[in-house]
Amino acid sequence: MESIIKHLMEITGHRDHDLLNISVISALSELTHASRARVLDILHVGDNVFVKAQITIDHGKLASNEEHLVHLIPEVPIEQFPQLASGLQQHENVIEYVADNGDRTVWLPIWMNEKVHVCLEIFNPASFTENTKEVMSGILVVYRNFQNLLDYSERDSLTGLLNRKTFDDNFSKILRTSVQKQLSEEVDQPAVERRRDEKEKQHWLAVLDIDHFKRVNDTFGHLYGDEVLILVANLMRSSFRPSDKLFRFGGEEFVILLRSTTKEDAHMIFERFRENVARYPFPQVGTVTISIGFAHIDPFEPAVGIIGRADQALYYAKSNGRNRICHYEDLVESGLLHIEHSQDSVEFF
């Protein structure tokens, strides 16, 4: 009982999704004496559903950072977990499967508003007593309530995207993973190969703005303006990968953290999103367009500098026709954006 109380104190003391997930899966692993326990993300992309391992407890020990970093582990179609897929379709709270070799897996979907975004997986647990089931049920209730509280505080109330105050934490996580990856590659890879990889795949920050949004509000009213914001947010979710982070900064401004891809692929992903918005028939309003400015993320530079570069690219896009995408580094290299270095500051023109 003392151990369970300790775990509950940890669960209710966190204000971070990752720490909350580690606490709850550690508690369940210890309670059930499982050989392995995982927190699985259930990702909905259009009509497709994917499963992605987020956190793993192996024989009572948390997997190392390199093993459980979200962006390093690929998502797989839920069809690779047919018993889990069937249980979710039937809205089951506990899904059990015993393989031919006797291995037993228990999945505990966390249902919120008839949807599952997180599922807890317990592999080869000890037999459950009624007391164990009651304790597990209590832990899951506490976990679900705190997930709701965190989502409420971290999400924009209108669009459901991450809000401005969560940006710093998410940006810091990307920087940490970038630095860790670089340090490991310095040991494992030759210098020439490392430089090629660093050049090819990077993280990117984009700032996007809805063109002439004030005109939408003035012409059609704020209710239609809000609907445009909601629909743009929905198009963002369907246009970007589950591992990318999407934010509403306020008004008609949004920010995207695009993980680990080449500049060419980043531009293609942003262009696809721009086209999706331009083609979408917004009710009453008709056609809506967006402008995007983006820059690569230097893991050794503060967020304000990178946002500043993406903002400069966005400003150039809006000043030169709108409904377009501009890459900061390309603008500088082509001479379209000039930077004057002073002794203690950088000024943009």
Side-chain angles (χ1 to χ4, degrees):
M1 180 60 71
E2 183 178 342
S3 176
I4 297 303
I5 293 174
K6 176 185 174 183
H7 283 300
L8 287 174
M9 289 174 63
E10 289 182 358
I11 292 170
T12 57
H14 293 310
R15 296 296 180 269
D16 177 271
H17 276 291
D18 289 341
L19 295 177
L20 175 61
N21 287 334
I22 290 172
S23 290
V24 73
I25 202 64
S26 296
L28 292 176
S29 176
E30 181 178 328
L31 181 65
T32 62
H33 304 287
S35 62
R36 186 186 69 197
R38 299 194 297 178
V39 177
L40 305 177
D41 283 336
I42 308 299
L43 308 168
H44 302 265
V45 184
D47 295 328
N48 300 313
V49 181
F50 298 88
V51 177
K52 185 167 189 160
Q54 183 189 136
I55 293 165
T56 299
I57 302 291
D58 195 356
H59 292 91
K61 295 184 178 180
L62 177 67
S64 65
N65 285 344
E66 288 76 16
E67 292 173 313
H68 79 260
L69 282 173
V70 174
H71 80 283
L72 295 178
I73 302 174
E75 55 267 13
V76 298
I78 197 169
E79 288 75 18
Q80 294 190 21
F81 299 81
Q83 295 79 18
L84 173 60
S86 176
L88 293 180
Q89 287 179 351
Q90 298 175 42
H91 283 69
E92 295 180 5
N93 293 316
V94 179
I95 305 166
E96 295 191 46
Y97 168 66
V98 180
D100 293 339
N101 63 358
D103 288 341
R104 181 183 177 205
T105 304
V106 177
W107 289 288
L108 303 169
I110 306 303
W111 291 97
M112 293 184 182
N113 300 320
E114 299 301 313
K115 276 195 170 186
V116 173
H117 296 287
V118 175
C119 181
L120 307 178
E121 179 189 72
I122 302 171
F123 186 70
N124 275 343
S127 297
F128 296 160
T129 65
E130 287 303 317
N131 182 57
T132 300
K133 290 180 181 178
E134 289 181 10
V135 174
M136 287 177 61
S137 177
I139 289 175
L140 292 178
V141 168
V142 173
Y143 174 64
R144 187 182 296 109
N145 289 342
F146 267 77
Q147 283 276 28
N148 273 323
L149 287 173
L150 286 178
D151 280 344
Y152 181 78
S153 66
E154 293 180 354
R155 299 282 173 179
D156 173 60
S157 59
L158 179 65
T159 64
L161 299 181
L162 293 169
N163 58 29
R164 173 65 181 87
K165 69 180 183 180
T166 66
F167 173 81
D168 290 338
D169 284 343
N170 280 277
F171 187 81
S172 296
K173 288 177 183 177
I174 284 184
L175 294 191
R176 286 198 299 271
T177 59
S178 296
V179 172
Q180 288 172 350
K181 183 180 178 183
Q182 286 190 20
L183 291 176
S184 65
E185 288 176 347
E186 286 177 3
V187 175
D188 299 333
Q189 288 183 300
V192 174
E193 183 179 345
R194 185 169 64 248
R195 283 194 295 269
R196 184 176 68 246
D197 286 351
E198 288 172 356
K199 181 179 180 181
E200 289 177 352
K201 286 202 172 184
Q202 302 180 61
H203 301 314
W204 307 88
L205 184 149
V207 180
L208 69 94
D209 192 270
I210 299 175
D211 298 327
H212 302 299
F213 185 70
K214 183 177 184 300
R215 185 185 302 171
V216 172
N217 279 331
D218 291 346
T219 304
F220 302 99
H222 287 278
L223 285 178
Y224 280 102
D226 286 350
E227 185 174 22
V228 167
L229 293 172
I230 293 170
L231 292 173
V232 167
N234 291 341
L235 289 169
M236 289 176 71
R237 292 188 188 92
S238 63
S239 300
F240 292 94
R241 302 168 301 179
S243 58
D244 301 323
K245 298 296 183 180
L246 312 175
F247 304 83
R248 183 189 176 201
F249 264 37
E252 68 272 29
E253 186 176 61
F254 300 82
V255 169
I256 301 160
L257 294 179
L258 195 66
R259 289 179 178 269
S260 192
T261 189
T262 64
K263 183 183 78 171
E264 292 74 20
D265 284 346
H267 195 284
M268 179 187 68
I269 292 169
F270 292 134
E271 177 63 22
R272 180 182 62 200
F273 172 56
R274 185 198 64 77
E275 291 175 353
N276 288 345
V277 174
R279 287 197 301 261
Y280 191 86
F282 289 83
Q284 187 69 26
V285 177
T287 299
V288 171
T289 63
I290 59 170
S291 298
I292 300 176
F294 75 102
H296 90 275
I297 295 176
D298 183 341
F300 300 101
E301 183 176 356
V304 63
I306 299 169
I307 290 177
R309 295 204 302 268
D311 254 331
Q312 289 297 311
L314 172 64
Y315 180 78
Y316 185 90
K318 294 186 77 69
S319 301
N320 290 270
R322 294 184 171 86
N323 190 25
R324 61 182 299 187
I325 299 164
C326 288
H327 175 225
Y328 173 84
E329 285 79 10
D330 284 349
L331 292 175
V332 172
E333 288 179 7
S334 63
L336 296 173
L337 187 63
H338 302 284
I339 308 172
E340 180 177 304
H341 294 270
S342 64
Q343 291 182 349
D344 57 357
S345 65
V346 178
E347 297 180 1
F348 298 90
F349 296 92

